[in-house]
Amino acid sequence: MNKAMTTLSYALAVSATLTFAGMAGAETSSGNNHNHSHTHDKEGSVYDGYFDDDQVKARELSDWEGDWQSVYPYLVDGTLDPVMADKAKHGDKNAGEYRAYYETGYKTDVDRIVISGKKVTFFRGRDSVTGDYETDGHETLTYKKGNRGVRFIFRKSAGDDAAPQFIQFSDHIVAPEKADHYHLYWGNDRAALLNEVTNWPTYYPSNLSGKRIAEEMLSH
């Protein structure tokens, strides 16, 4: 088990510490990233990364409570190919280029996350580590395209040594609201994580099939 935990710890570190490559990732919420075509009205503009500072409100871990699965395996096995093809119709890349972009973005060995109360459990196959997390505020980031994103940050207060010291949620929401999916950043350096915008492991509810997740992505 110690070997398994060491492997998971390494996977966590690798997944969350890819270097900044200058291309704003999923957090930019631009049309070339997530396939959400919200208009720039008051509600949609927040989703796309345009909001006022006074719209940002503190959020509790309960906003992300639930059993979540990584979408990375569905990219690898081709389930999300229709999503990549659709992006190519509306974006500035072909389907293969979008797939490569999301290969970097979605990549992770953590295939499942369960959040209950203060506890966050990271699964890699049958191996898992758990930590208790307390709110550590939020940070608003500004991207090269001019839009912004908010990271809601939680710090480990107890739990397994291999569990990351910090987790940072980004889900295109800036005030208390239940998430329907999210991007998660994790590691032991709070500040360094804020510079990570190329690798954003993404999670949807575990009770959704890969086909349903693809449909969800296509419908927004």
Side-chain angles (χ1 to χ4, degrees):
M1 178 60 75
N2 287 339
K3 182 179 180 181
M5 291 302 99
T6 299
T7 302
L8 179 59
S9 180
Y10 174 77
L12 291 171
V14 170
S15 174
T17 56
L18 294 179
T19 55
F20 174 75
M23 182 178 185
E27 285 189 297
T28 62
S29 305
S30 72
N32 292 339
N33 296 324
H34 286 294
N35 192 32
H36 300 293
S37 57
H38 295 256
T39 58
H40 285 264
D41 56 19
K42 185 173 179 62
E43 180 179 358
S45 65
V46 172
Y47 198 103
D48 293 332
Y50 299 92
F51 50 85
D52 297 325
D53 289 342
D54 61 6
Q55 292 178 266
V56 181
K57 309 295 183 184
R59 297 172 70 187
E60 300 295 329
L61 193 57
S62 57
D63 276 3
W64 300 276
E65 190 161 16
D67 193 322
W68 305 88
Q69 62 177 320
S70 167
V71 301
Y72 181 60
Y74 298 124
L75 180 71
V76 172
D77 70 12
T79 301
L80 299 185
D81 283 355
V83 179
M84 302 300 114
D86 185 70
K87 290 180 183 297
K89 293 178 182 179
H90 304 97
D92 59 358
K93 303 177 184 65
N94 62 41
E97 290 170 332
Y98 274 114
R99 182 185 173 94
Y101 172 70
Y102 281 87
E103 168 77 21
T104 298
Y106 288 159
K107 190 170 187 178
T108 182
D109 285 336
V110 178
D111 49 26
R112 180 185 175 211
I113 294 176
V114 175
I115 301 172
S116 179
K118 295 182 179 181
K119 295 188 180 299
V120 180
T121 302
F122 300 82
F123 290 86
R124 181 176 181 270
R126 295 182 179 180
D127 298 322
S128 66
V129 294
T130 300
D132 291 356
Y133 290 87
E134 305 284 349
T135 184
D136 196 44
H138 58 266
E139 300 286 348
T140 300
L141 307 180
T142 301
Y143 306 115
K144 289 184 176 181
K145 294 184 179 181
N147 57 344
R148 300 190 295 168
V150 180
R151 297 274 187 95
F152 292 93
I153 305 171
F154 295 83
R155 176 180 51 82
K156 185 174 70 174
S157 58
D160 298 327
D161 289 343
Q165 190 67 31
F166 293 95
I167 55 177
Q168 300 182 357
F169 292 89
S170 176
D171 59 2
H172 318 287
I173 300 171
V174 301
E177 183 179 336
K178 288 286 188 180
D180 59 8
H181 77 280
Y182 60 85
H183 316 292
L184 190 67
Y185 307 76
W186 57 79
N188 296 325
D189 187 325
R190 187 185 192 277
L193 286 176
L194 294 173
N195 289 324
E196 175 53 79
V197 294
T198 59
N199 176 234
W200 14 269
T202 300
Y203 295 86
Y204 274 73
S206 291
N207 62 356
L208 297 182
S209 66
K211 182 180 179 181
R212 177 64 184 277
I213 290 172
E215 291 171 350
E216 290 282 317
M217 292 179 174
L218 288 167
S219 68
H220 287 290

